[in-house]
Amino acid sequence: MEERKGRTADASKCVHCHICRENCAFLKKYGIDIGDVLRLNELAYHCFLCGRCSEVCPVGIDGRQVVRDMRRRQVSGDGGAYVNKKYKRMISEKREYLYRNYRHVTEKSVLFPGCNFPSVYPKTMKMLSKLFEEQAGIGTVYECCGKPIADIGMEEQEERIVQGIGERLSAAGVTEVITVCPNCEDYLSGRVPVKVVNIYEKLRELGIGKKIPGGCLMFRPCPDRERGRWLKDIEFFLEEKCEPIKDVQCCGLGGNGGVSEPELAKGFAVKVKGYPDTVYTYCGSCSGNLTRNGCKKVRHVLPEILGTGERPDTVKSLINRMRTKNL
């Protein structure tokens, strides 16, 4: 993916002010800055790619892109041997998405829930798909956007996945993709030849959904931390403005970093668990992983807006994802 506007992926610009280190549990653990490229390269697969370092860097270094580039070079250097061994199961599922289903694709608009929301919220997914079909003639496509493959540095496979998605959508006459996952929206925008919008924009447009009563704490997923575009659309469905959680940098799944840093990943969940009130989020991956790690008060805003009240199914998540192939 392209660097954010006004940022650079040139780590040599680092002034070693240690601000990134102070704001990132991974960098702090190893006592390094984004500019410590030799050590960072050794630890590239320990990074959560959450972008926190990029947000706080005073000289505009896109630390997330620095690490992505390192991963790509490593995959290119060993032909993918390391990642194919370390992430074998994930790659076997995502490289050629096993549960792809385009049988309900429609012209113009299509719902694109991604791979994680349907796996942890199957009842809400079924209801949402039915609502869109009945009220707006909008079909549903079950597909993985390719970001998990991109995050581990498999650049050639990443480009092939995105190109394939674009070709399938164009062939079906799709001009608008409605994403349920912030990662899918962030990753596909500008890379597929169709307009990409978020589910909350579309719900408001169609007049679907109820408001969530009272104020709430909001755990923002990584791709929406800085710009907050999804959060602005979600606030229409909140009776009171939410209070974003600022002291937890990731749910633990970001960039597949939790594979190498399980204790750091659990530490993020422990912080969220420490909040006494219900914590809302708008990412299926975040709600599922935080719940899996003991945060039972985490709620995804979409089931609340649609009135299903569904809690994340972390026990049968893989089975739920497999079922999307035959819906």
Side-chain angles (χ1 to χ4, degrees):
M1 288 189 290
E2 295 181 359
E3 300 164 24
R4 298 295 189 196
K5 187 176 180 181
R7 289 199 180 135
T8 177
D10 183 358
S12 70
K13 302 293 184 184
C14 179
V15 295
H16 295 282
C17 62
H18 308 321
I19 292 176
C20 60
R21 184 189 308 184
E22 293 166 4
N23 284 273
C24 170
F26 153 61
L27 294 176
K28 182 180 293 184
K29 175 180 177 178
Y30 293 99
I32 58 175
D33 300 324
I34 288 298
D36 295 315
V37 292
L38 292 178
R39 183 64 171 140
L40 185 62
N41 188 61
E42 295 174 354
L43 298 166
Y45 286 94
H46 293 243
C47 174
F48 292 89
L49 297 182
C50 66
R52 181 59 180 156
C53 58
S54 306
E55 290 179 47
V56 301
C57 181
V59 294
I61 298 173
D62 189 343
R64 178 163 45 188
Q65 191 61 43
V66 169
V67 175
R68 280 199 182 111
D69 290 344
M70 288 177 172
R71 293 183 176 189
R72 286 175 174 175
R73 286 192 293 270
Q74 289 185 32
V75 169
S76 177
D78 70 2
Y82 174 80
V83 294
N84 275 291
K85 181 178 180 180
K86 190 175 183 69
Y87 304 102
K88 182 178 180 180
R89 180 175 172 181
M90 185 274 286
I91 292 172
S92 67
E93 177 189 328
K94 311 288 188 183
R95 182 164 49 188
E96 187 65 42
Y97 190 51
L98 296 180
Y99 314 118
R100 180 179 296 145
N101 181 346
Y102 278 73
R103 65 170 56 91
H104 301 295
V105 66
T106 50
E107 291 187 354
K108 296 185 178 179
S109 292
V110 68
L111 185 63
F112 192 104
C115 53
N116 273 320
F117 186 83
S119 72
V120 289
Y121 294 100
K123 295 177 183 177
T124 303
M125 186 63 243
K126 185 176 180 180
M127 176 185 179
L128 181 62
S129 181
K130 184 178 180 181
L131 274 173
F132 271 43
E133 182 182 10
E134 293 179 348
Q135 296 196 24
I138 295 173
T140 301
V141 163
Y142 294 98
E143 173 73 278
C144 175
C145 69
K147 185 178 183 294
I149 292 296
D151 278 351
I152 61 173
M154 301 182 77
E155 189 172 13
E156 289 186 13
Q157 289 84 350
E158 164 196 353
E159 293 301 328
R160 180 181 53 77
I161 291 169
V162 174
Q163 182 179 348
I165 292 173
E167 289 173 352
R168 286 187 286 274
L169 294 175
S170 295
V174 175
T175 57
E176 178 186 65
V177 165
I178 305 157
T179 53
V180 175
C181 171
N183 283 293
C184 290
E185 188 266 352
D186 185 67
Y187 181 70
L188 292 177
S189 292
R191 303 189 70 190
V192 290
V194 298
K195 181 181 179 183
V196 181
V197 301
N198 75 61
I199 183 65
Y200 305 99
E201 293 178 73
K202 188 57 63 172
L203 287 174
R204 183 174 181 178
E205 178 186 318
L206 297 175
I208 297 174
K210 65 177 186 179
K211 290 186 180 288
I212 298 175
C216 66
L217 292 170
M218 188 68 73
F219 183 86
R220 299 166 296 167
C222 296
D224 202 47
R225 291 281 176 90
E226 189 171 4
R227 292 176 291 177
R229 293 185 293 106
W230 281 60
L231 189 54
K232 289 176 183 176
D233 289 313
I234 288 169
E235 285 179 345
F236 172 80
F237 295 96
L238 305 177
E239 285 188 352
E240 298 178 23
K241 204 163 185 178
C242 66
E243 179 185 345
I245 291 176
K246 298 179 179 179
D247 65 340
V248 186
Q249 71 184 67
C250 181
C251 74
L253 282 181
N256 294 288
V259 175
S260 299
E261 295 290 348
E263 292 307 313
L264 289 183
K266 288 179 182 177
F268 300 148
V270 168
K271 276 192 174 183
V272 175
K273 189 177 180 180
Y275 281 89
D277 301 319
T278 297
V279 173
Y280 288 87
T281 187
Y282 41 104
C283 174
S285 299
C286 291
S287 58
N289 198 50
L290 290 171
T291 299
R292 195 176 291 112
N293 282 290
C295 304
K296 303 301 183 182
K297 291 185 177 182
V298 172
R299 302 287 183 267
H300 194 295
V301 298
L302 191 52
E304 304 301 315
I305 290 170
L306 295 177
T308 69
E310 186 177 15
R311 302 294 180 255
D313 182 353
T314 59
V315 176
K316 297 182 293 182
S317 57
L318 179 58
I319 294 173
N320 293 332
R321 185 154 63 243
M322 291 170 64
R323 286 172 175 162
T324 63
K325 187 174 181 67
N326 299 310
L327 290 176

